[in-house]
Amino acid sequence: MNRRLFVGGPVVVAIFSLVSGCSAIGAATEGLRIGKNLNKRKKEMRIWVDGHEAKASVLKKAYFGHASYKVKETVSTRPTFRFAFKDPSKFGRITGTNLQIHQEYEGDYSHQAEFAVFPREMSSEYLMRPDVDYNLGSVGSNLKCLNFEKQEVSGVELKPGLEYMLVFTVSGDRSDSVQVLLSTK
């Protein structure tokens, strides 16, 4: 599938460019940009919330270079979180993990995180690990969870029937950050 998009994306752009009156150089430049965006996909992370995998639009990622992930199913108010690397070698040495959850606010998402989850200490033994299910409702002793008022709490407690944006960041030799849109039951 990736090969078809890699080859087909530039062809579609070239056809639209020629029909709309753009030059061949402009079409070639757009095709190269889309090809470069598709090549970036190799360092992606995979994300699950409550066992439901979050998916991103391949076409949006190809054209814009990024796209928010979305969990189609509703999740619980005390969800579980899991991540994995498609190719761990692309990230190198990991030095930090950070998860923030932003609540919907006036047709967008609050700029202030409702909850922030991060390692209790800045040491590799406290980092979130790939392929591990984390119960965000009770984060345990290795992680720290702060609420909207920056008070430490035992875990995440989302409100039912609302939209949320989860932002997960991995820092290291190569860092990556993903946005995951979800809604609660």
Side-chain angles (χ1 to χ4, degrees), residues 75-139:
V75 301
S76 68
T77 56
R78 297 172 63 90
T80 59
F81 174 78
R82 178 186 194 106
F83 73 99
F85 299 122
K86 286 188 177 179
D87 184 357
S89 68
K90 298 286 183 185
F91 286 87
R93 298 167 296 172
I94 305 297
T95 59
T97 55
N98 181 357
L99 183 142
Q100 297 181 10
I101 300 176
H102 300 262
Q103 184 176 296
E104 68 177 322
Y105 179 74
E106 295 182 350
D108 196 6
Y109 295 96
S110 173
H111 292 187
Q112 175 66 41
E114 205 67 23
F115 294 97
V117 179
F118 50 91
R120 186 160 294 282
E121 293 182 26
M122 293 310 290
S123 169
S124 62
E125 63 196 57
Y126 288 93
L127 297 178
M128 294 176 83
R129 305 267 183 228
D131 300 313
V132 174
D133 286 324
Y134 290 94
N135 178 1
L136 297 180
S138 177
V139 295

Side-chain angles (χ1 to χ4, degrees), residues 30-44:
E30 281 294 299
L32 287 174
R33 184 180 61 77
I34 288 173
K36 184 178 175 183
N37 288 344
L38 285 172
N39 194 33
K40 276 197 262 182
R41 288 177 33 90
K42 291 181 181 170
K43 79 167 194 173
E44 283 184 9

Side-chain angles (χ1 to χ4, degrees), residues 160-176:
L162 290 180
E163 302 287 324
Y164 288 92
M165 177 178 63
L166 182 150
V167 179
F168 181 65
T169 303
V170 173
S171 305
D173 289 325
R174 293 283 186 261
S175 300
D176 200 6

